[in-house]
Amino acid sequence: MAQTPTTFEVDGTAICTKRMNAGMDVQQLADKVGVTANYLRKVERGVRTRMRPGPYQALRAALNADTDELLRTPHTNPPERK
């Protein structure tokens, strides 16, 4: 039996792209997901790379994303910090 992971490693760039394509700003998406806009900005910038199952599932639903569309793949590099 498959067990739900305790966290999901997310791809902030994919989340940002999907959000912008949906025509939402950070605050709108954060409100739908039930997280703060500050938290979501950190996820999009790659400062935070992991999300708990509840917020991740809410994020997927809000963005109408496929199962692993918002997850980091092994070859995905985090964005460069400036």
Side-chain angles (χ1 to χ4, degrees), residues 21-68:
N21 288 342
M24 284 188 269
D25 64 27
V26 173
Q27 186 64 58
Q28 290 170 319
L29 181 56
D31 289 344
K32 286 184 179 217
V33 174
V35 297
T36 66
N38 187 43
Y39 173 83
L40 189 55
R41 283 186 198 96
K42 288 178 181 179
V43 168
E44 288 188 356
R45 287 193 324 257
V47 174
R48 295 195 66 136
T49 59
R50 296 188 178 275
M51 293 182 79
R52 293 196 179 273
Y56 176 70
Q57 298 303 334
L59 178 68
R60 276 191 47 226
L63 293 175
N64 196 28
D66 292 335
T67 303
D68 59 355

Side-chain angles (χ1 to χ4, degrees), residues 4-23:
T4 303
T6 55
T7 61
F8 291 88
E9 192 166 353
V10 295
D11 181 350
T13 303
I15 293 167
C16 182
T17 300
K18 192 85 169 159
R19 173 184 58 77
M20 289 190 297
N21 288 342

